[in-house]
Amino acid sequence: MSHVAVENAHGLEQQLAVLDLSAADGQGGGNSRRYIPPHLRNKDAPKNAGNAFAAGRQGGYTIAPAANYGWDGTRNNFVNGYHDNRMTGNSFNRGPPRMERGRGGVGGGYRNNRGGAFNPINPAQPMGFAGYENKDAGGWNTAKDAYSSFGNNRGKSAFFNDRGNASRGRFEHGGFGNGGGGGGNSRWVEESRDDGDWSKPTPRNERLEHELFSGSNTGINFEKYDDIPVEATGQNCPQHIESFQDVDMGEIIMGNIALSRYTRPTPVQKYAIPIIKSKRDLMACAQTGSGKTAAFLLPVLSQIYTDGPGEALNAAKASGQENGKYGRRKQYPISLVLAPTRELALQIYDEARKFSYRSRVRPCVVYGGADIGQQIRDLERGCHLLVATPGRLVDMMERGKIGLDYCNYLVLDEADRMLDMGFEPQIRRIVEQDTMPPKGIRQTMMFSATFPKEIQILARDFLEDYIFLAVGRVGSTSENITQKVVWVEESDKRSFLLDLLSATGKDSLTLVFVETKKGADALEDFLYREGYACTSIHGDRSQRDREEALNQFRSGKCPILVATAVAARGLDISNVKHVINFDLPSDIEEYVHRIGRTGRVGNLGLATSFFNDKNGNITKDLLDILVEAKQEVPSWLESLAYEHQHKSSNRGRSKRFSGGFGARDYRQTAAGVNAGGFGGRGGGRSQAGHGGNRAFGGGGFSNFYTSDGYGGNYSHSQVDWWGN
DNA sequence: AAAAAAT
């Protein structure tokens, strides 16, 4: 045991050397290392990747000074599609979220700050505001005309200027997390907003503009991005773009792209935008953090701006006639985005608000755990783009609040996750058993990190003549995350954690994963008593508290977040410097998702995992991951994996070696699906004839979308965290 | 036996 402790101390030094704790800007990145996709690593890894990454790990990360991140416009280093991490106003009217959990007042000001006053100007943002002084230079040149001609003619400027006002945020939007800052639109402009030219920008609103776009962006290594392989297959696949200017998305979108300071499309955007713009269905294998959200929001919104509300407007008018004004009853969104978790839905909604700024499109979000009455009232103010979790949407449909009759754009985000969570019946209910236009009429886009058989079937059922897009991983197990595994006994975990935390800079965000909800509460309490500004997120906390916790974490007010699996996937929190697996998961997929919370979009990150006897089940898979990502492998882990493999029977061996193929094995391709008799387009016209099988059939991507989609052949261990 | 999600 004492021997182990010494090793740990040494490991800690290494970790701290790796993590540049003195970085004051809180932004990772700044390196120029090339991302080498797994299938290329063996070939030129020594030359391009191995040395560079090894050197990086030993020598510590180089974090560029803030000036290099382009706030001054000198560098084009901004992430496209990256989530806006502003501190939203959600905390308003919520009260101190955790006081009821019986905590003492120890630990100083952090607790008192929780649930603090709403501030529409986002004071928590570390960045300056300089970029906005000159914002009309950023693509809105023509919009000025629109402002004077449209806004003033209608005499609505007072109302527009009122959008995003703090009191409105409170009374109309508080409570279900739409950012609290006005939701972009107010009921007073509702009757006019649907009329007129949807392709022309509505007047500016500086307050709202500030609220939407002042969130900190994050540095990105475009060199790394450029190496991310993308492969598009399908009939008549549109040419990909290299710049946002290559495709005409209209002045509203271009203006918002400029305000978001997106300079170059990410790989998934380069391909998805022209595909969606040319009205094709899409099945994209890509992970969050790849700029996926913007990849579908930009073209979909652009299309809505071009086409206008169409039938949906008349339907909304008709449905509201009894009230003497339209838009009051049933809403007919033009676009629907389904997401698996509430937080993810919110995140997408926040992006949608940005890209619908100065447009007539009103985005809404509905999800469980929040007051449905408030959500209904928000819907009634108009809803053209709806982001939803499936359960709550079905509820809304059954209450007659939402009609999908005119939903021309359907997006399923994180489709694999939604199926994992058992949402398939609700999804089919929404898509197939209601009034949504059939495939071929509507445009459907599916996104999924993996492409198992269930997703293939869903794609067959929901998509028409689709393009298949395979996007290589951005982060996950790749070399931009330094993975450390340290042996820590259960009884030593807390003190070891304190050691790690005490050496971590106050500005660095640290995400600590535990396996149980109880464990999350206990650990948060412990850290709190130790004086750390921390919060927690798990499924037993109220939705309000979950969002609050996430905001506290994002904003840096509570730079330590203790989380269960709820936070493992999809959540896009920039600047997470360190992910700590206080408890390792039993499932390697879960591990990959967790560590993927750091090292986002080309940034560098650190993941530390506490390993002990209880984690035998994950030994082999973990070892494989470390090796694949060219990480340092502790010798004890190696021998443990060896022992484990030679233990009795199947213990610790993955299903794939024990006959567990079946549903999870999807080396079967999009082409294979069609060729295998699922062909949505009839008979032999499979995508295989167009190279569809290249994505999987032994080509460069075979490694990306195997049974788990994380670039390896690992799969579930049979023994879980509880030793069953 | 965990977690997530409509109530």
Side-chain angles (χ1 to χ4, degrees):
Chain A
M1 192 64 55
S2 56
H3 168 67
V4 169
V6 170
E7 273 190 5
N8 285 346
H10 182 62
L12 179 60
E13 276 178 35
Q14 288 184 337
Q15 289 172 41
L16 299 179
V18 159
L19 184 69
D20 186 343
L21 301 167
S22 62
D25 63 339
Q27 306 265 9
N31 70 64
S32 58
R33 293 164 195 155
R34 283 161 51 88
Y35 172 81
I36 305 296
H39 66 281
L40 294 177
R41 282 178 199 162
N42 290 338
K43 295 170 194 163
D44 50 1
K47 181 170 45 122
N48 288 330
N51 294 340
F53 282 102
R57 280 200 299 277
Q58 281 154 17
Y61 293 162
T62 309
I63 298 192
N68 282 347
Y69 284 96
W71 298 117
D72 57 0
T74 55
R75 285 267 304 260
N76 292 333
N77 266 0
F78 292 107
V79 180
N80 303 324
Y82 205 78
H83 184 60
D84 166 15
N85 296 289
R86 74 208 140 82
M87 171 67 181
T88 67
N90 291 348
S91 57
F92 198 59
N93 86 358
R94 293 193 169 170
R98 309 254 350 235
M99 288 314 184
E100 72 277 12
R101 303 177 79 208
R103 195 178 328 261
V106 207
Y110 289 105
R111 291 291 151 163
N112 296 336
N113 286 338
R114 291 182 169 203
F118 175 79
N119 188 328
I121 320 285
N122 299 321
Q125 289 311 315
M127 61 160 291
F129 192 44
Y132 291 104
E133 305 309 325
N134 200 17
K135 40 190 166 305
D136 270 350
W140 284 109
N141 298 321
T142 52
K144 272 190 165 173
D145 299 328
Y147 179 80
S148 48
S149 63
F150 181 77
N152 292 341
N153 285 350
R154 299 209 165 206
K156 296 282 192 208
S157 54
F159 293 118
F160 275 95
N161 288 341
D162 204 19
R163 299 197 299 184
N165 163 306
S167 65
R168 176 148 307 162
R170 171 175 194 169
F171 295 115
E172 295 189 9
H173 295 276
F176 59 96
N178 64 0
N185 313 299
S186 82
R187 72 176 71 175
W188 286 278
V189 298
E190 171 190 307
E191 289 187 50
S192 65
R193 69 174 301 129
D194 283 345
D195 301 319
D197 185 349
W198 278 45
S199 66
K200 288 282 176 274
T202 57
R204 273 184 62 194
N205 172 341
E206 297 204 26
R207 193 192 300 264
L208 178 62
E209 192 167 301
H210 187 182
E211 183 204 323
L212 292 176
F213 298 102
S214 65
S216 66
N217 238 315
T218 186
I220 174 184
N221 306 311
F222 277 106
E223 300 84 1
K224 186 167 291 219
Y225 254 118
D226 287 339
D227 279 342
I228 295 170
V230 180
E231 191 157 322
T233 48
Q235 301 201 34
N236 304 320
C237 182
Q239 189 54 241
H240 73 274
I241 57 171
E242 283 299 333
S243 119
F244 289 119
Q245 280 72 39
D246 290 351
V247 55
D248 179 22
M249 289 197 280
E251 63 179 302
I252 299 178
I253 289 292
M254 294 318 279
N256 290 328
I257 285 176
L259 284 175
S260 305
R261 284 157 295 173
Y262 293 178
T263 53
R264 288 173 58 182
T266 67
V268 67
Q269 290 163 1
K270 286 178 185 175
Y271 284 78
I273 288 174
I275 290 169
I276 297 172
K277 278 294 282 182
S278 56
K279 303 180 194 293
R280 293 294 299 274
D281 280 2
L282 174 67
M283 172 71 233
C285 283
Q287 315 221 339
T288 39
S290 56
K292 189 167 54 113
T293 308
F296 63 78
L297 282 180
L298 291 172
V300 165
L301 284 169
S302 149
Q303 213 51 49
I304 294 176
Y305 301 156
T306 304
D307 297 343
E311 285 298 307
L313 172 59
N314 296 328
K317 282 181 175 175
S319 114
Q321 265 169 2
E322 302 138 58
N323 282 349
K325 73 191 215 180
Y326 59 85
R328 292 301 280 165
R329 284 180 96 77
K330 199 169 190 174
Q331 289 297 320
Y332 293 89
I334 302 165
S335 175
L336 172 66
V337 181
L338 289 177
T341 67
R342 300 161 179 178
E343 280 78 9
L344 190 56
L346 252 178
Q347 196 171 280
I348 296 166
Y349 167 75
D350 281 338
E351 288 288 287
R353 285 185 72 210
K354 287 206 255 180
F355 299 126
S356 57
Y357 172 61
R358 297 189 67 177
S359 81
R360 288 167 173 76
V361 165
R362 187 167 197 278
C364 291
V365 62
V366 299
Y367 52 79
D371 179 9
I372 196 166
Q374 277 178 305
Q375 291 183 354
I376 289 171
R377 285 192 291 281
D378 187 57
L379 287 175
E380 286 174 343
R381 280 172 216 129
C383 173
H384 306 105
L385 184 145
L386 180 61
V387 185
T389 48
R392 180 54 68 94
L393 175 58
V394 168
D395 196 353
M396 287 291 189
M397 288 161 63
E398 283 167 359
R399 289 169 187 247
K401 297 301 175 190
I402 289 291
L404 297 173
D405 312 46
Y406 305 100
C407 180
N408 291 328
Y409 306 93
L410 169 65
V411 180
L412 304 189
D413 202 6
E414 306 262 321
D416 50 353
R417 181 100 204 274
M418 289 202 278
L419 294 195
D420 282 350
M421 292 170 62
F423 278 143
E424 182 163 2
Q426 288 99 316
I427 291 173
R428 289 196 181 270
R429 156 94 176 73
I430 292 163
V431 176
E432 295 178 326
Q433 291 147 35
D434 215 272
T435 52
M436 183 179 289
K439 66 176 177 181
I441 303 297
R442 66 161 195 264
Q443 191 179 347
T444 311
M445 292 134 274
M446 284 175 58
F447 291 82
S448 181
T450 62
F451 198 51
K453 199 166 202 169
E454 298 93 320
I455 299 293
Q456 295 170 27
I457 293 169
L458 212 58
R460 173 201 69 187
D461 293 344
F462 290 179
L463 305 177
E464 177 94 353
D465 189 20
Y466 62 92
I467 305 283
F468 185 91
L469 210 54
V471 183
R473 287 172 298 159
V474 182
S476 298
T477 61
S478 75
E479 292 92 338
N480 57 357
I481 302 171
T482 298
Q483 301 173 56
K484 296 280 182 182
V485 181
V486 286
W487 186 279
V488 187
E489 297 293 344
E490 286 301 314
S491 54
D492 297 334
K493 279 183 172 179
R494 285 185 170 185
S495 70
F496 194 83
L497 178 65
L498 290 182
D499 287 347
L500 283 178
L501 293 178
S502 67
T504 299
K506 290 278 177 270
D507 297 328
S508 302
L509 300 190
T510 302
L511 184 50
V512 184
F513 279 107
V514 295
E515 197 58 16
T516 68
K517 293 184 276 200
K518 266 175 70 179
D521 276 339
L523 188 60
E524 189 212 349
D525 279 342
F526 169 74
L527 290 175
Y528 175 65
R529 284 195 304 271
E530 292 291 328
Y532 284 96
C534 62
T535 183
S536 70
I537 183 168
H538 62 68
D540 273 355
R541 296 199 65 185
S542 74
Q543 189 55 29
R544 200 176 77 175
D545 287 354
R546 281 164 55 167
E547 285 160 29
E548 175 70 17
L550 215 47
N551 284 330
Q552 302 264 26
F553 183 58
R554 280 198 167 117
S555 68
K557 203 180 270 181
C558 293
I560 299 166
L561 179 65
V562 181
T564 59
V566 68
R569 298 172 196 232
L571 284 189
D572 210 352
I573 304 162
S574 67
N575 304 335
V576 176
K577 279 272 173 57
H578 198 173
V579 167
I580 298 174
N581 282 310
F582 189 86
D583 300 321
L584 269 166
S586 56
D587 175 347
I588 196 67
E589 290 183 29
E590 174 75 16
Y591 172 84
V592 173
H593 275 295
R594 285 183 182 183
I595 67 170
R597 296 315 96 198
T598 185
R600 305 290 287 168
V601 273
N603 287 323
L604 299 176
L606 173 64
T608 304
S609 299
F610 296 176
F611 190 105
N612 62 34
D613 295 328
K614 292 174 78 176
N615 307 114
N617 49 48
I618 204 178
T619 314
K620 178 65 169 68
D621 291 338
L622 185 58
L623 179 69
D624 289 345
I625 289 270
L626 294 179
V627 169
E628 187 210 325
K630 298 190 173 61
Q631 300 294 306
E632 205 174 286
V633 178
S635 53
W636 53 261
L637 184 69
E638 213 156 4
S639 40
L640 215 60
Y642 182 80
E643 282 172 31
H644 212 261
Q645 216 165 20
H646 296 276
K647 261 194 207 159
S648 58
S649 72
N650 260 329
R651 259 184 94 85
R653 299 192 61 182
S654 58
K655 281 179 187 168
R656 77 180 277 111
F657 299 120
S658 51
F661 273 92
R664 297 205 68 86
D665 180 46
Y666 60 78
R667 283 166 303 166
Q668 185 161 194
T669 69
V673 173
N674 286 335
F678 294 122
R681 285 168 292 106
R685 291 173 63 219
S686 84
Q687 294 190 330
H690 307 273
N693 57 348
R694 278 189 305 144
F696 296 99
F701 286 86
S702 58
N703 228 17
F704 282 133
Y705 303 106
T706 49
S707 66
D708 50 35
Y710 305 115
N713 290 330
Y714 0 96
S715 61
H716 293 289
S717 298
Q718 291 203 317
V719 183
D720 64 23
W721 194 79
W722 292 269
N724 297 316

